Each structure stands twice: as structure tokens, then as C-alpha cells.
Amino acid sequence: MLSQCPHCHNKLQLTEAQQEKVARAVGALPAGKTLKISCPICNEPIHLRHDGNLAQAAKDEPTPKATKAAAPAQTPPATPDDLPPKAPQPPDISLLRQQEESRTDEAIDDVPLAMVLMPDDDKRQRVAAALEELEYQVEYPPSAAAAIERMRFVNFAAVVLHSDFEGDKLADSSFHRHMRRMPMASRRLLLYVLVGPNLHTLYDLEALTLSANLTVNEHDLERIKLVLKKARHDYRQLFGPLLQALQEHGKLG
């Protein structure tokens, strides 16, 4: 199984469940077909043959000569059907320390607004500085009630909430309840980010469980700009086509 991206040459940080899923998929490929996956770091496509090896060369590298006869298909190892699927583990974010910010954001016509609900300390300053560098205009409502009232009249592009903003438990937060109950027509227009000491950075399953787009451990705030850029890119990839279709049919205000 391929362990390194042929484009950016970073190690593919696949969980055991993801590796098993890819192995089953390539093993079931018909002869001559390939499986296309995306590198989680550079988002470039990777094509795999049915034996799990690379099907085409990376950019700027010579393409190997094709062999006369295709290798016989390998039968994937049998797996028990009665075992429950394993939940994916929090991702390894060590590569964020080494990854350079190589992709620029699209030009924007209107300055998007961001709301930050965090205690006034150095952590909030780091988040605000990252948002401002990403061309957001940042506001700091003094309370959850003020934030909810503000959202009645203003469309925000991003909202950042610290789990301790209204107490020790996120479940007791009135603002978090407001976000969870928000109609999808409004909810899909903004990026909702949760920050806290017990959260896991870039853990999509945790974010989904909490009705957020992104979760960030406060110990990773030194890389918050890069984390926000990745989350915003993923958000646009997910909702961009839908929002464009709604706008073309006049169903998006």
C-alpha cells in the first residue's frame, strides 16, 4: 500500500480503518481500472492500481514504461463481516508544523464578518489575528445573549466559540444550543469553530457530533491560521456547489 504522496512527498497519515477501506476498494477493482483518492495534505489526486501501487507518476517525474502484460489481480484478504466498524481516531497534526502556506485564497469583494466568543486573553488575540490575516472583520460580543441578538440582524461568515465562554461545560452553553438549532438555510452559510482544552484539532467526527465545522484544541492555537485555512477550504469544497446552485435558482438570499 502506498505510504507517501507522490506529489508533495509527505507521509500519508491514514488510520487503520481508512487503510482497510482503501485496500478493499482497490482489491475489488476490475482489471485495467484505477482508484482515485486525494492527498489530505496537498489535495492532489493519487491513482492506485488494484495491487495498491501507484498507477501514474507524480508531476515533474518521468513516467515509467508500461509493462507488456498486466499483473494478475490480487485477492484481498478476507475480513470478518460481523465485526463493528472502528471509529476513526483524531488525526495526526504534526505535519502542520512543517507545512508551508502555499495556497492563496480567492479574492473577495465584501469583507466577511467573524464573531469570536472567547475570554479576553492571549488565546483570543491569536484567533483574532489569524482571522484578520484571512481578511475577516472580527467582532467580540460581550455575552452569549448579545451574540445571539447580533446574529438576528447581521450575517456572519465565521463564528468561533470557546467551550468555557459560558462556563465549564459546552452542553450548558446557550449560544451553542442556538447554533445547533439554527435552520440549515442560515447554518450552511457560516463556518462554526469550537475551541477548547478537551477538543481535538481537525477531528471531523468530533466536529460532526457537536454540529460544528471544526474543532481546535487550544494548545494548537499557535497554528490556528493554517488550521482555519484548511477548514475554510474543506467548507467551500463541501458547500460551494450547493450554494452556487441555490444562488443560480434564486433560492439564496
Side-chain angles (χ1 to χ4, degrees):
M1 179 64 65
L2 189 68
S3 61
Q4 185 183 53
C5 175
H7 303 286
C8 64
H9 304 292
N10 284 310
K11 184 178 180 181
L12 298 176
Q13 300 289 340
L14 299 180
T15 65
E16 181 179 350
Q18 291 171 331
Q19 292 177 8
E20 292 177 356
K21 182 177 180 180
V22 172
R24 288 195 300 269
V26 297
L29 287 172
K33 298 296 184 179
T34 60
L35 174 69
K36 178 182 176 183
I37 63 176
S38 296
C39 172
I41 304 301
C42 67
N43 292 317
E44 290 291 337
I46 302 173
H47 297 268
L48 300 177
R49 299 196 306 263
H50 59 270
D51 58 0
N53 292 322
L54 188 65
Q56 66 180 31
K59 295 180 180 178
D60 301 325
E61 294 183 0
T63 304
K65 295 181 179 180
T67 56
K68 294 183 179 180
Q74 297 181 358
T75 303
T79 57
D81 295 332
D82 55 345
L83 291 178
K86 295 181 180 179
Q89 298 301 308
D92 182 2
I93 63 169
S94 60
L95 289 177
L96 289 176
R97 300 185 180 95
Q98 304 173 4
Q99 184 179 6
E100 295 181 356
E101 301 176 23
S102 58
R103 184 179 291 112
T104 58
D105 289 308
E106 301 87 349
I108 52 178
D109 298 327
D110 300 322
V111 178
L113 294 178
M115 176 185 293
V116 177
L117 300 173
M118 298 179 64
D120 187 3
D121 54 18
D122 61 329
K123 298 184 182 67
R124 191 179 82 169
Q125 293 175 7
R126 288 184 181 180
V127 172
L131 287 169
E132 289 173 351
E133 288 183 23
L134 294 175
E135 301 184 9
Y136 288 94
Q137 180 178 329
V138 185
E139 296 187 7
Y140 312 96
S143 65
I148 294 172
E149 181 68 14
R150 179 68 170 153
M151 293 183 73
R152 290 180 55 195
F153 306 100
V154 179
N155 293 324
F156 285 87
V159 174
V160 181
L161 173 67
H162 195 284
S163 59
D164 295 340
F165 185 71
E166 295 183 77
D168 297 334
K169 294 182 179 180
L170 185 62
D172 297 334
S173 168
S174 60
F175 183 83
H176 183 57
R177 287 196 300 272
H178 171 74
M179 292 297 298
R180 292 176 69 109
R181 297 170 181 173
M182 182 178 294
M184 184 51 64
S186 301
R187 174 65 181 85
R188 61 181 169 228
L189 297 177
L190 60 85
L191 183 71
Y192 184 33
V193 182
L194 292 174
V195 180
N198 299 319
L199 301 176
H200 301 84
T201 302
L202 295 176
Y203 191 14
D204 292 337
L205 183 61
E206 182 176 54
L208 179 64
T209 303
L210 296 173
S211 300
N213 298 94
L214 171 68
T215 53
V216 182
N217 188 284
E218 61 182 26
H219 296 296
D220 295 318
L221 290 179
E222 62 185 21
R223 297 183 293 278
I224 185 60
K225 180 182 176 182
L226 185 58
V227 172
L228 287 173
K229 287 187 69 175
K230 182 182 186 307
R232 188 167 67 173
H233 175 267
D234 293 344
Y235 163 80
R236 289 174 176 173
Q237 289 287 101
L238 178 62
F239 288 106
L242 173 62
L243 296 179
Q244 182 178 1
L246 291 175
Q247 187 174 23
E248 290 175 353
H249 289 80
K251 297 182 179 180
L252 186 64

